[in-house]
């Protein structure tokens, strides 16, 4: 069985521009604390999370990651397509290119591999199992409440991907009571650790609240980490007068630099 697409794409149900959703919500923290947190939010997370690197070539994986990498359930390592190609050229067609474990042959063996790592407290595996329950994949019955339990456990172990998924769940009220501020806080926690999609979604939420300048600041950060959707959002805001020429130029340069850093000979051959 082929390794699965990495779940670190923009989650299904993520807010779209102009959906009218409020980003700010109610915040009962003291104003000074809110101000300090807001400053941290814009000053931290300008470099991608190290977990976005391929563990073989050590380059950051292109975005969206599901297009450019696969997760191997045996070790939960995300290997880029360039390194997978190199592994196939060396004859490793039916083994994990990272740990060399034979690939699972069906859903049951795939699920068993994931559950083995879940029992060891692997945050990525717990998040992945949550994804499977959310989709009803690998022979599991769709169970969103169970997915949320697993994502919550995964965040406690440090998963930024799980924070992003919880953000979508609470923001949209996906089998939980809708709580947009809580969803936003999950995206904020992930964004400050360099999670690109969460940063972009913060921009979307702020834009829909009418905070266009703040939205552009978030998108500028994620565009400079190589996210094309953020670059396109800034381009549209430049065209309608809500972003400056300097901001668009900065986004273009940053996006180009990030894209260049993600290139490799093997990846170009894909």
């Amino acid at each position: 069985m082929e390794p699965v697409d990495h779940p670190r794409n923009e989650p299904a149900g993520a807010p779209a521009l102009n959906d009218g959703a409020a980003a700010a919500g109610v915040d009962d923290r003291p104003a000074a604390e809110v101000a300090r947190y807001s400053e941290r939010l814009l000053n931290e997370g300008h470099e991608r999370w190290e977990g976005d690197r391929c563990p073989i070539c050590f380059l950051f994986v292109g975005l969206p990651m599901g297009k450019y990498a696969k997760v191997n359930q045996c070790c939960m390592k995300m290997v880029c397509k360039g390194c997978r190609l190199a592994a196939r050229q060396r004859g490793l067609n039916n083994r994990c290119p990272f740990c060399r474990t034979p690939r699972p042959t069906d859903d049951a063996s795939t699920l068993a591999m994931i559950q083995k790592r879940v029992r060891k407290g692997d945050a990525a595996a717990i998040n992945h199992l949550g994804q499977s329950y959310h989709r009803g994949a690998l022979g599991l019955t769709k169970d969103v409440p169970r997915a949320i339990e697993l994502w919550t456990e995964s965040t406690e172990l440090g998963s930024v991907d799980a924070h992003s998924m919880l953000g979508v769940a609470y923001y949209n009220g996906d089998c939980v009571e809708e709580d947009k501020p809580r969803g936003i806080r999950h995206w904020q926690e992930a964004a400050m650790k360099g999670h690109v999609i969460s940063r972009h979604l913060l921009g979307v939420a702020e834009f829909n609240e009418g905070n266009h300048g703040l939205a552009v600041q978030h998108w500028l950060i994620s565009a400079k980490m190589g996210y094309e959707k953020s670059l396109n959002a800034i381009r549209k805001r430049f065209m309608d007068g809500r972003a400056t020429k300097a901001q668009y130029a900065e986004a273009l340069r940053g996006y180009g630099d990030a894209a260049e850093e993600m290139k490799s000979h093997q990846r170009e051959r894909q």
Side-chain angles (χ1 to χ4, degrees):
M1 176 174 284
E2 280 290 309
V4 298
D5 289 339
H6 196 273
R8 209 171 300 150
N9 299 318
E10 188 168 312
L17 286 173
N18 300 318
D19 72 354
V26 177
D27 196 327
D28 56 4
R29 293 175 296 175
E33 182 181 342
V34 172
R36 286 194 298 271
Y37 188 84
S38 297
E39 184 177 2
R40 277 187 58 211
L41 180 60
L42 291 175
N43 289 334
E44 296 181 11
H46 288 232
E47 300 291 334
R48 285 179 68 178
W49 180 55
E50 285 298 308
D52 285 355
R53 292 186 186 274
C54 171
I56 297 177
C57 67
F58 300 108
L59 295 174
F60 282 119
V61 174
L63 297 165
M65 295 180 71
K67 181 179 179 180
Y68 297 103
K70 299 282 186 178
V71 170
N72 297 277
Q73 301 91 342
C74 46
C75 56
M76 296 309 300
K77 296 297 184 183
M78 173 198 62
V79 177
C80 75
K81 288 189 174 182
C83 290
R84 290 177 59 232
L85 171 62
R88 289 196 301 271
Q89 291 173 336
R90 294 196 302 270
L92 296 173
N93 294 310
N94 297 310
R95 290 180 177 271
C96 170
F98 183 78
C99 70
R100 305 298 195 264
T101 299
R103 287 179 179 164
T105 56
D106 53 29
D107 284 350
S109 55
T110 300
L111 182 59
M113 280 186 170
I114 296 171
Q115 289 174 327
K116 180 179 179 180
R117 297 200 66 83
V118 166
R119 289 192 293 272
K120 294 181 178 180
D122 185 319
I126 295 168
N127 174 61
H128 200 91
L129 186 59
Q131 294 272 353
S132 298
Y133 272 109
H134 188 259
R135 298 193 307 269
L138 300 179
L140 296 169
T141 300
K142 183 179 175 70
D143 187 343
V144 178
R146 177 57 178 151
I148 290 172
E149 290 177 1
L150 288 163
W151 288 333
T152 300
E153 180 182 353
S154 186
T155 62
E156 293 168 355
L157 294 170
S159 171
V160 295
D161 292 325
H163 269 300
S164 186
M165 296 307 303
L166 284 172
V168 173
Y170 284 111
Y171 193 93
N172 291 335
D174 184 3
C175 293
V176 292
E177 183 178 354
E178 182 181 295
D179 188 342
K180 292 191 186 301
R182 186 173 183 177
I184 291 292
R185 286 194 290 273
H186 277 292
W187 287 335
Q188 289 172 336
E189 288 299 309
M192 287 191 291
K193 293 179 174 66
H195 192 268
V196 181
I197 304 302
S198 292
R199 178 69 70 176
H200 175 80
L201 294 177
L202 287 175
V204 173
E206 291 292 356
F207 183 86
N208 290 334
E209 176 67 6
N211 300 321
H212 302 146
L214 185 53
V216 170
Q217 290 183 67
H218 284 303
W219 288 331
L220 186 55
I221 294 170
S222 46
K224 291 165 73 173
M225 290 192 283
Y227 196 43
E228 188 174 11
K229 278 193 174 184
S230 297
L231 176 64
N232 290 338
I234 294 175
R235 177 179 59 81
K236 291 177 182 177
R237 303 293 74 79
F238 169 59
M239 293 175 66
D240 64 22
R242 290 170 172 159
T244 67
K245 182 178 180 180
Q247 286 174 321
Y248 182 41
E250 184 179 353
L252 276 172
R253 287 193 301 271
Y255 175 82
D257 290 344
E260 191 66 29
E261 290 174 1
M262 290 184 280
K263 289 182 179 179
S264 73
H265 174 67
Q266 292 290 355
R267 291 181 183 183
E268 292 299 304
R269 296 177 62 186
Q270 283 289 307

